[in-house]
Amino acid sequence: MGKDTFSGAILAWIKSKNAFLKIQAGTGDNLLKEDIREGYVDYCLWSTFKPECIDIDGELDMECLDSGMVLFRENCDLKMALQNCYEQAFGEVFEENDVMVLVEDG
């Protein structure tokens, strides 16, 4: 994982939760004036999804479990986005061995 500013999206499989974690870099539209006054300069949006059923019918229905936004007081990089979103989504300390990044866009 690089140190460059994160500007794309990540799709990761969280092994211990049997769930996907999707992270998207913020565009700035969701930073409120209050957030900026408090020193926040960047954010990520995250969602967790779980396959409802893996079957042979050609469809993969997904159930959205939860979603949220993580604010940052410095520009966010890929590693920071993944760690903070993981911790907020699952309420646990980030465990790198628990995460398999499937897609990294941007």
Side-chain angles (χ1 to χ4, degrees):
M1 290 183 233
K3 296 190 185 294
D4 297 330
T5 299
F6 175 60
S7 62
I10 301 168
L11 179 63
W13 178 250
I14 310 304
K15 299 171 196 174
S16 68
K17 305 300 181 192
N18 287 324
F20 294 103
L21 174 61
K22 180 180 81 169
I23 303 169
Q24 294 174 262
T27 61
D29 297 340
N30 287 346
L31 280 178
L32 303 174
K33 290 178 182 177
E34 297 84 41
D35 297 330
I36 295 167
R37 273 196 303 270
E38 291 179 25
Y40 294 105
V41 297
D42 204 359
Y43 66 92
C44 288
L45 302 170
W46 61 266
S47 301
T48 53
F49 295 89
K50 193 168 208 145
E52 290 181 351
C53 177
I54 298 178
D55 205 343
I56 58 171
D57 64 2
E59 294 185 24
L60 181 59
D61 294 330
M62 300 295 275
E63 171 189 357
C64 182
L65 301 173
D66 200 3
S67 61
M69 184 170 83
V70 177
L71 297 169
F72 299 96
R73 287 196 161 94
E74 59 187 85
N75 285 331
C76 172
D77 64 18
L78 175 71
K79 186 173 184 175
M80 189 185 297
L82 191 53
Q83 288 177 346
N84 283 272
C85 290
Y86 176 100
E87 291 178 358
Q88 188 179 89
F90 301 109
E92 298 176 7
V93 174
F94 178 75
E95 179 59 51
E96 192 169 351
N97 293 329
D98 191 30
V99 178
M100 183 184 312
V101 175
L102 303 174
V103 178
E104 181 185 333
D105 182 30

